[in-house]
Amino acid sequence: MHANPSTTEQDVNVADATERNWVDRYAPRPLRPWLRLARLDRPIGFWLLLLPCWWSVGLAEVKLNQPYPSPWLLFLFAAGALLMRAAGCAYNDYIDRDYDARTARGASRPIPAGQIRPISALIFTVLCSLAGLAVLLQFNSFTIKLGAASLLLVAIYPFMKRFTNWPQLILGLAFNWGALVGWSAATGSIGIPALLLYAGSVLWTIGYDTIYAHQDREDDLMLGLRSTAIRFGENTMTWVGSFYAGAIVLWLLAGFLAGTHLIFFLAIVLASLQMAWQVTTLDTRDGANCLRRFRSNRDVGMVIFLGLVADMAISRMAGLS
């Protein structure tokens, strides 16, 4: 694998990367195109992929009367999320390379920018996937099979915006598979709390990715692509608010059935206030506004996870579990 030698601008950052991110500031210059391909200059996707996994592990450990989530499982999911997001982003960029080249934001990505050849991106995808498989093989046999089942959704997602107004639904189904896998990694099976957590997380993803997709709405219309941002249009705030409300209800039910206590529920309420801020202050005509609210969903996820950990610890000290 190598970057395109004909490219003279190897150090041009990606349009929607965080200003002065660590890749553009500190990474060795030859590695920067590959790190950008893996989206390591834009880590929000890693967090949004990882946190439902961590929630699920935590809820399963609550059900098993454990005082805290397994550090080993949390580590494995962090490694797996990093590798599989890198693989998924490289694959997605390979599939979308011709479309990306025709849009303002997409043209700065490594493949259309000429920093990485398409075939090299495919090799990168395979290598990251194999490393992700090595992580998956550390789990129990049921979890290995369950994790592998997500690959179909991952494979078809990049094509969905060509055929349906709901590609965000497919993204949600694929991106939150860890809400099922985390539970099965801890218990060896699937439980109702995991299914509720998964369903709520899918609604969450449809909401936040609709906000994100408004950045590309005009370009997508020009290219004949589809999205929920286009589908919802001026009614986006209502739709996103409804999806977020549904997510909150399902997460509360998941926690209740798993056996969580007051602190977890308070964390969900705090997260719901942040989600309400996103909706009520959203300006779909302002790309920077949309990007900031999209990125803020990491805070939603961290509040829920830290609330879950605190709930487990304090409940154990109080003799409630």
Side-chain angles (χ1 to χ4, degrees):
M1 294 191 301
H2 54 280
N4 190 336
S6 66
T7 300
T8 58
E9 296 293 337
Q10 291 291 325
D11 208 22
V12 177
N13 64 348
V14 178
D16 58 355
T18 305
E19 187 176 356
R20 293 177 61 79
N21 66 81
W22 75 273
V23 171
D24 296 334
R25 294 177 65 188
Y26 303 119
R29 188 164 298 177
L31 292 180
R32 290 178 187 175
W34 302 105
L35 297 174
R36 292 169 183 147
L37 184 67
R39 301 288 202 277
L40 294 184
D41 57 337
R42 289 157 285 166
I44 179 60
F46 162 74
W47 288 110
L48 296 178
L49 181 63
L50 173 63
L51 286 164
C53 305
W54 279 6
W55 299 344
S56 187
V57 170
L59 287 181
E61 301 282 20
V62 169
K63 192 69 173 177
L64 295 172
N65 293 316
Q66 297 301 310
Y68 51 81
S70 163
W72 175 239
L73 291 180
L74 297 183
F75 168 76
L76 288 177
F77 278 108
L82 187 70
L83 290 164
M84 294 313 297
R85 180 175 183 249
C89 289
Y91 171 68
N92 190 81
D93 282 3
Y94 172 80
I95 298 298
D96 282 348
R97 63 192 184 280
D98 293 333
Y99 288 110
D100 285 343
R102 298 163 61 189
T103 67
R105 288 196 319 119
S108 61
R109 291 175 178 172
I111 299 176
Q115 297 175 2
I116 293 176
R117 292 192 175 100
I119 186 61
S120 298
L122 275 183
I123 295 172
F124 181 84
T125 299
V126 171
L127 292 177
C128 288
S129 298
L130 289 174
L133 175 62
V135 173
L136 182 62
L137 291 175
Q138 306 308 306
F139 296 115
N140 58 63
S141 59
F142 179 80
T143 300
I144 292 171
K145 295 173 185 175
L146 182 64
S150 69
L151 294 179
L152 176 61
L153 290 168
V154 174
I156 67 173
Y157 164 67
F159 300 98
M160 290 299 99
K161 58 188 171 184
R162 295 155 171 81
F163 305 112
T164 177
N165 292 323
W166 293 85
Q168 280 70 28
L169 171 60
I170 307 303
L171 176 66
L173 293 171
F175 216 65
N176 295 288
W177 202 257
L180 301 175
V181 175
W183 184 280
S184 72
T187 68
S189 63
I190 292 293
I192 292 176
L195 294 172
L196 292 170
L197 181 71
Y198 176 61
S201 300
V202 171
L203 295 181
W204 180 45
T205 296
I206 296 172
Y208 68 61
D209 203 64
T210 296
I211 293 174
Y212 183 84
H214 268 283
Q215 298 176 94
D216 297 322
R217 187 171 183 271
E218 298 306 318
D219 285 335
D220 287 346
L221 285 168
M222 176 189 69
L223 296 171
L225 299 175
R226 305 177 185 181
S227 71
T228 49
I230 295 172
R231 170 66 178 78
F232 301 156
E234 296 299 320
N235 295 316
T236 289
M237 290 176 64
T238 300
W239 279 94
V240 171
S242 298
F243 286 126
Y244 280 177
I248 292 296
V249 170
L250 290 168
W251 290 339
L252 287 170
L253 286 172
F256 175 76
L257 293 178
T260 58
H261 300 93
L262 179 61
I263 294 176
F264 175 74
F265 299 132
L266 290 176
I268 295 291
V269 171
L270 185 59
S272 73
L273 294 177
Q274 202 284 340
M275 295 160 83
W277 169 81
Q278 292 180 45
V279 173
T280 56
T281 63
L282 178 63
D283 182 355
T284 58
R285 298 163 296 181
D286 183 343
N289 176 287
C290 293
L291 185 59
R292 183 184 174 197
R293 278 140 191 80
F294 165 74
R295 286 176 175 163
S296 74
N297 281 281
R298 182 196 64 176
D299 301 335
V300 172
M302 288 302 299
V303 163
I304 294 173
F305 177 67
L306 293 176
L308 177 58
V309 172
D311 186 273
M312 295 175 72
I314 294 174
S315 296
R316 175 55 65 98
M317 287 188 292
L320 299 175
S321 61

